[in-house]
Structures are given as structure tokens and as C-alpha cells.
């Protein structure tokens, strides 16, 4: 479910999570912290108790749910089942019970201006009120106008794509208050996360791109009124360059800020396209976003990941695209597409051995992949990067890689140089069968293995061929391509 404030349109679920209300805090039981609540909301449990359906709630119905073990409240026209939240509320159960079965908007606005309850309670959403419920009166409530609680835009579920794949096609509904748009997507696919949804807002229209099972489902919602259906190719939005920092003598980190109304989180192993008009011609090139570092304590994607893109780009003085890119000044804008790519997280879910063969900027898809596997794949025993470069000066994030290898025993890096100086003590040469048979070895017989290859086209082709000759199956090899 997406909750999108109509004013600012921050990323769904990315809002800072704050405790609900409460001037006076009560001691919470162990296992009832905000973090525990966040974990529970992400567990997939049916917290609203309606198996994912949203309903229209009458005042009478709301009033029936006024007990501690069955407690609904209404905030700004939306009804939440807060029964599961009771024990997690820092202000205590009694404070929440003051709004049980009623409209708690004014009460909560007065006690503590809730800015984040939509995000915190989104899994508890029951539906919307059919009529204005009776509000809990407080001295401060008279400033809230009736209009503020009115809802509009509620539409029946709509089939988004063709009707032939009836069971699998997601459907959706949406509704809007004066400052919040909620889009509910119904799908049978499990494990939906924010990387699968891209949201853009422009000229009063909400554009939601949902990526499910290799299909992209597009919603165009004209806020408050019509809903249109549309299928389109790559969608570009203008992003602002906010920093440009050197990584090596020829490679830079470009940090782009997405428009405020865009939520775009590029999944691991995927790339975006940048578009520029060069000498009157539209030129498009693919780039793979990286994370800001290879921190060993990397956790879930942060808010930053859906508001910014970090690109590690080598500038070729004779190149067509990159010199123009290099001329961009801080504050300039560039068009950025939606993400694409064939890599699936399921390829690494139960992985034991991961080998990464990267040449030059072919390192870029390995960055997020490493962050992901080292943090999320419990079965992982080895993550080994074979990094091919011409000279030592060309090695991207060398010290970070060496640091990571010291911090995480599962991670190992081997630098292989094709044009080393005499002083180089490490490996030298090019990708070859003998080199791969020496450096790519399963941790145990039949270990679940994946080998990812990325670099110049010929490097990748050769790498795949050598690996197959060494007995690795097609399923065990992934190459990143556009
Ligand atoms: P080009 O004009 O393509 O030239 C590149 C070099 O080749 C120059 O040195 C040029 O002189 C030389 N050259 C061009 N044509 C010829 C020719 N006919 N014969 C001989 N030499 C020639 N790059 C990154 O830096 N970071 C990334 O994250 C990244 N991600 C990518 C993801 C994917 C899926 C793919 C496919 C590529 C990715 N790339 C990435 C590469 C990127 O898309 C561009 O190819 C790269 O930036 C070069 O673009 P350019 O137009 O500046 O250079
Ligand atoms: P580079 O500095 O030219 O080369 C890096 C290393 O690869 C060097 O050791 C080089 O050896 C070796 N190498 C280059 N071509 C080779 C070949 N044909 N066979 C064997 N080894 C070869 O690399 P770069 O300029 O950073 O280029 C990186 C490439 O990766 C670009 O082509 C880019 O398009 C691609 N890339 C692809 C993706 C993706 O997702 N598909 C992402 C990022 C980058 P030598 O000294 O012998 O040349």
C-alpha cells in the first residue's frame, strides 16, 4: 500500500518513523520498541485483520471497535485497527483508548502533531469513513474544518492490464484526502517491496509504475478525478546534480537528486539510462547506480536510496557522452530513466559462494550486490571479487575494498593488473582459463554458487566461456548487460 502525502510526495514508507503521540511516556514491555513495531509491520502479518481488503467504515461500525482488544480509530478520514499497536505506543494504552471507536484526529493533533502515523500505521489501515465520525472534542479542535476530513477520488478496483492473465494481474484502488493519497495495489505476488514501485508526481497527476514478475504495470492517476490507463516505454524525469567527487584520475561519483515527487529505488543489479541532447541528437547511455560506500554495516535501503542516485562514471576524453556529463555543473539537471535489468535477488537468496569478475567500471553492479549479500544472505560463505584493471591508479574504491576484506571474513578481493608497474607484487595478466581455475573455487563440493561477470563486452564474453569450460552451468553464471 502506498501512502503519498499530496503536498510533498515523499517516498512511500520512507518517512522517518516517529512514535505516536504521547507527552508522557509509559514504560514499554521488552520487545515493544519502535524497532520491534517496525519489524512487525514488515513481517507480512495481517495487522488490520481484513486480509488486505479495505472497507468503507460507517460511524456505527467504528463505534463497535472501542475495546483494548478490538480498537479502531479514525484519523483524517482514514480508519486504523490499532489493536496490535497498543503495547508499542510510548504514550501508553490509555492515551490511545481516548480515541477508541471515534475520530481521534483533533486529539492526536493536539497531543502531538503526528507527521508519520500514515507510515507507521499503514499496515493497520482498515479503510475510510463513509461519513464524518464523531470527533473527540478538545479545545483545539474547532480550527479543523469539516472539509478537511472529506475524502474524494475513491474508485472501484480497476484491472490495470489485459484481462487474459486474470489471476495474476494486479488491481488497485486509491483515495485521497486533502494531503494524502493512498494507492492500494492488490496482487497475489509475495514479497512486495519499495524497489518494485516507482512514483512520480507532476501537474496534479500521479504516475505509479509497479514492477511484478517482469511486467511493468502503469497507473496514471489524475488526482481527485479521473484515472487513466497507459502503457509506455522508458520514462524519464529530470534530476539535479548535487555533487561530483573524484574516485580515481578518470572516474567520478555523480550524486543526483530525484525530484521531490519521485520515488525511485533502483534494485540490486539493475541500471538506469541517462539522456542528454548532444549536438542536437538525443543520446542515451546505461549506468548502474552504486551505494554511497561499501560499509560493512550496510543495512536495508535508506531514505536516501529513493531520493538520490549515486553513479560511478568513467570519463572517456574521446567519448561521446561522458565528456558532456563531466561538463554538468552542480545544480544542472539531467534526464534519468526507470531502472532495468535481468538480475533477480532470488539468484542469491540461498547462495553459499559468490564470485564477482569485474573489469574497470564493470565494478559498479558489484557494489550494491556486495552490500546486499553480505547483509542479507545468511547462507553465504564466500564473496570473492576478482577485480581486473590496467594499473593500480585505475582501481576503484581500493581502500574500501581492502577495509571490507579485513572487516568481513567472508569477503576477499584479488586485484589483477594488465599493465602493472615493476613494483606491483600482486597478480597480473588478463582474464584466462588458468587464472579462473586458480581463483574461482567452490568452498565445498556442490556448494550453491553464482559467478557474476561485468566489464567490456569481450571481457564478459571470454569470462563466460572460460567458466563454462571449467564446468560451471549457465544458471551459475550471470552477466550484466543492457
Ligand atoms: P563512447 O563514445 O562509447 O567511447 C568509449 C571509449 O571507446 C572511448 O575511449 C572512445 O574513444 C572509444 N571508442 C568509441 N568508439 C570506438 C570505436 N569504434 N573503436 C575504438 N574505440 C572506440 N559506465 C560507467 O562508467 N559506469 C557505470 O555504472 C556503467 N554502467 C553501465 C551499465 C550497463 C548495463 C552498460 C551496458 C554500460 C555501462 N557503462 C557504465 C558504460 C556506459 O554506458 C558508456 O558506455 C560509457 O560511459 C562510455 O560512454 P561514452 O559515450 O562517453 O564513450
Ligand atoms: P578498462 O580500464 O579499459 O579495462 C579494465 C580491465 O579489463 C583491464 O585490465 C583491461 O585489460 C581488461 N580488458 C579490457 N578489454 C578486455 C578484453 N577485451 N578482454 C580481456 N580483458 C579486457 O575498462 P573500462 O574502460 O573501465 O571499461 C569498463 C567496461 O565495462 C565498459 O565497456 C562498460 O561499458 C562496461 N560496463 C558494463 C556494465 C554492465 O552492467 N553491463 C556496467 C559498467 C560497466 P587491457 O589492458 O588488456 O585492456
Amino acid at each position: 500500500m502506498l501512502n503519498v502525502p499530496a503536498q510533498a510526495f515523499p517516498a512511500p514508507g520512507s518517512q522517518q518513523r516517529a512514535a505516536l503521540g504521547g507527552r508522557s511516556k509509559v514504560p514499554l514491555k521488552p520487545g515493544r520498541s519502535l524497532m520491534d513495531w517496525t519489524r512487525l509491520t514488515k513481517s507480512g502479518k495481517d495487522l488490520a485483520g481484513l486480509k488486505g481488503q479495505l472497507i468503507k467504515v460507517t460511524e456505527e461500525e467504528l463505534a463497535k471497535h472501542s475495546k483494548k482488544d478490538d480498537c479502531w480509530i479514525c484519523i483524517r478520514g482514514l480508519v486504523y485497527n490499532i489493536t496490535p499497536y497498543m503495547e508499542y505506543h510510548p504514550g501508553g494504552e490509555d492515551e490511545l483508548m481516548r480515541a477508541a471507536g471515534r475520530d481521534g484526529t483533533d486529539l492526536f493533533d493536539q497531543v502531538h502533531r503526528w507527521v508519520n502515523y500514515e507510515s507507521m500505521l499503514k499496515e493497520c489501515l482498515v479503510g475510510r469513513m463513509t461519513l464524518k465520525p464523531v470527533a473527540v472534542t478538545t479545545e483545539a479542535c474547532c480550527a479543523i474544518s469539516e472539509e478537511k476530513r472529506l475524502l474524494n477520488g475513491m474508485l472501484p478496483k480497476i484491472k490495470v492490464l489485459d484481462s487474459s492473465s486474470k489471476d495474476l494481474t494486479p488491481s488497485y484502488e486509491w483515495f485521497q484526502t486533502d494531503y494524502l493519497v493512498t494507492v492500494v495495489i492488490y496482487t497475489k505476488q509475495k514479497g512486495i517491496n519499495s524497489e518494485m514501485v516507482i512514483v512520480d508526481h507532476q501537474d496534479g497527476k500521479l504516475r505509479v509504475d509497479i514492477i511484478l514478475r517482469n511486467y511493468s504495470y502503469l497507473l496514471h492517476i489524475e488526482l481527485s478525478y479521473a484515472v487513466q490507463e497507459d502503457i509506455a516505454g522508458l520514462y524519464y524525469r529530470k534530476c539535479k546534480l548535487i555533487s561530483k567527487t573524484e574516485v580515481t584520475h578518470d572516474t567520478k561519483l555523480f550524486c543526483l537528486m530525484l525530484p521531490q515527487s519521485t520515488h525511485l529505488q533502483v534494485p540490486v543489479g539493475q541500471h538506469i539510462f541517462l539522456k542528454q541532447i548532444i549536438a542536437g541528437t538525443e543520446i542515451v547511455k546505461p549506468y548502474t547506480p552504486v551505494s554511497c560506500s561499501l560499509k560493512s554495516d550496510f543495512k536495508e535501503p535508506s531514505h536516501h536510496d529513493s531520493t538520490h542516485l549515486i553513479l560511478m562514471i568513467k570519463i572517456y576524453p574521446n567519448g561521446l557522452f561522458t565528456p558532456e556529463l563531466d561538463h554538468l555543473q552542480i545544480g544542472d539537471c539531467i534526464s534519468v530513466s526507470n531502472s532495468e535489468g535481468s538480475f533477480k535477488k532470488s539468484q542469491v537468496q540461498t547462495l553459499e559462494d559468490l564470485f564477482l569478475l569485474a573489469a574497470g567500471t564493470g565494478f559498479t553492479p558489484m557494489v550494491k550486490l556486495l552490500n546486499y549479500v553480505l547483509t542479507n544472505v545468511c547462507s553465504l560463505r564466500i564473496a570473492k571479487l576478482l577485480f581486473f584493471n590496467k594499473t593500480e591508479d585505475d582501481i576503484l574504491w581500493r581502500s574500501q575494498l581492502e577495509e571490507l576484506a579485513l572487516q568481513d571474513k567472508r569477503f576477499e578481493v584479488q586485484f589483477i593488473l594488465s599493465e602493472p608497474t615493476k613494483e606491483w607484487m600482486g597478480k597480473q595478466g588478463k582474464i584466462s582459463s588458468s587464472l579462473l581455475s586458480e581463483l574461482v573455487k567452490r568452498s565445498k563440493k556442490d556448494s550453491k554458487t553464482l559467478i557474476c561477470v561485468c566489464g567490456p563486452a569481450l571481457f564478459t564474453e571470454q569470462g563466460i566461456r572460460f567458466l563454462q569450460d571449467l564446468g560451471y552451468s549457465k544458471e551459475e553464471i550471470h552477466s550484466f548487460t543492457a
Side-chain angles (χ1 to χ4, degrees), residues 382-401:
I382 304 175
K384 185 168 180 177
L385 170 68
L386 308 187
F387 199 178
F388 297 82
N389 285 281
K390 286 187 194 296
T391 70
E392 270 183 274
D393 291 344
D394 296 323
I395 302 175
L396 303 165
W397 278 1
R398 178 177 180 177
S399 57
Q400 284 204 47
L401 286 164

Side-chain angles (χ1 to χ4, degrees), residues 55-347:
I55 59 171
K56 290 180 190 172
V57 184
T58 60
E59 209 171 300
E60 295 73 45
E61 182 63 32
L62 179 63
K64 284 182 201 163
H65 303 271
S66 58
K67 297 176 211 71
K68 269 191 186 167
D69 58 355
D70 177 17
C71 183
W72 292 8
I73 60 168
C74 169
I75 306 167
R76 295 191 176 83
L78 300 184
V79 179
Y80 299 90
N81 178 354
I82 57 160
T83 322
Y85 179 70
M86 284 281 173
E87 292 190 342
Y88 295 81
H89 180 47
E93 297 182 355
D94 291 344
E95 187 179 270
L96 287 180
M97 286 308 293
R98 289 172 65 196
R102 296 190 283 178
D103 186 345
T105 311
D106 302 333
L107 180 70
F108 290 114
D109 276 352
Q110 191 197 36
V111 174
H112 185 106
R113 188 107 191 113
W114 289 6
V115 283
N116 295 311
Y117 70 89
E118 305 97 326
S119 160
M120 277 192 63
L121 291 180
K122 69 178 178 193
E123 299 306 326
C124 299
L125 187 65
V126 166
R128 69 171 175 96
M129 290 300 297
T130 49
L131 289 168
K132 190 173 93 65
V134 177
V136 179
T137 47
T138 67
E139 279 168 39
C141 80
C142 46
I144 311 284
S145 72
E146 183 173 327
E147 200 185 336
K148 274 201 166 173
R149 295 194 201 97
L150 289 179
L151 295 159
N152 51 41
M154 182 82 172
L155 288 171
K157 283 193 208 175
I158 291 169
K159 286 273 177 250
V160 185
L161 214 65
D162 68 289
S163 53
S164 55
S165 52
K166 238 183 208 162
D167 284 341
L168 299 175
T169 306
S171 55
Y172 75 98
E173 62 187 344
W174 71 281
F175 46 90
Q176 180 187 354
T177 63
D178 58 338
Y179 79 114
L180 183 78
V181 179
T182 300
V183 183
V184 189
I185 296 150
Y186 297 89
T187 168
K188 290 190 174 168
Q189 179 163 325
K190 294 205 171 93
I192 298 291
N193 62 50
S194 55
E195 286 178 349
M196 297 170 176
V197 183
I198 302 168
V199 181
D200 288 280
H201 173 244
Q202 213 175 18
D203 304 329
K205 288 192 186 123
L206 198 64
R207 185 186 186 281
V208 185
D209 198 349
I210 307 134
I211 298 119
L212 298 171
R213 294 177 303 267
N214 299 330
Y215 284 96
S216 172
Y217 299 90
L218 197 60
L219 314 180
H220 266 182
I221 299 174
E222 195 153 329
L223 296 179
S224 303
Y225 298 106
V227 176
Q228 295 167 3
E229 295 179 27
D230 193 7
I231 310 285
L234 275 181
Y235 180 82
Y236 287 86
R237 76 278 297 148
K238 291 259 182 211
C239 296
K240 195 182 273 187
L241 179 67
I242 57 164
S243 70
K244 194 165 64 166
T245 46
E246 280 194 3
V247 178
T248 62
H249 61 101
D250 59 10
T251 302
K252 293 180 181 168
L253 221 48
F254 291 78
C255 183
L256 301 174
M257 189 168 70
L258 294 161
Q260 224 193 355
S261 51
T262 294
H263 163 87
L264 167 64
Q265 203 167 305
V266 178
V268 173
Q270 296 208 2
H271 50 270
I272 49 85
F273 292 87
L274 294 183
K275 185 166 77 177
Q276 298 185 102
I277 311 281
I278 300 174
T281 309
E282 212 173 72
I283 310 285
V284 168
K285 295 259 169 156
Y287 294 95
T288 315
V290 295
S291 24
C292 52
S293 77
L294 276 170
K295 282 177 291 184
S296 60
D297 59 351
F298 180 86
K299 287 276 171 269
E300 283 297 300
S302 65
H303 174 63
H304 193 268
D305 287 323
S306 58
T307 55
H308 293 76
L309 284 180
I310 305 173
L311 301 169
M312 190 184 271
I313 298 180
K314 175 167 168 178
I315 311 297
Y316 296 87
N318 302 323
L320 175 63
F321 198 83
T322 48
E324 291 289 326
L325 205 57
D326 199 27
H327 287 141
L328 287 183
Q329 301 297 311
I330 304 302
D332 285 351
C333 286
I334 184 158
S335 297
V336 177
S337 77
N338 287 359
S339 59
E340 282 196 345
S342 59
F343 185 81
K344 303 239 164 14
K345 276 183 184 163
S346 57
Q347 291 173 259

Side-chain angles (χ1 to χ4, degrees), residues 347 351-355 440 442 444-453 464 467-468 470-479:
Q347 291 173 259
L351 204 64
E352 291 172 296
D353 300 348
L354 176 67
F355 296 94
V440 179
R442 294 179 196 272
K444 63 180 170 56
K445 195 173 171 288
D446 299 329
S447 65
K448 179 131 197 270
T449 300
L450 183 71
I451 309 168
C452 294
V453 192
I464 294 171
L467 290 168
Q468 286 178 345
L470 289 170
Y472 292 96
S473 68
K474 282 205 171 97
E475 292 68 41
E476 288 179 313
I477 304 169
H478 179 89
S479 62

Side-chain angles (χ1 to χ4, degrees), residues 22-43:
R23 270 182 206 141
S24 53
K25 294 197 171 191
V26 299
L28 295 172
K29 288 183 195 161
R32 295 292 181 270
S33 68
L34 182 59
M35 281 307 293
D36 296 313
W37 173 251
T38 307
R39 218 169 285 134
L40 180 63
T41 60
K42 288 184 176 167
S43 67

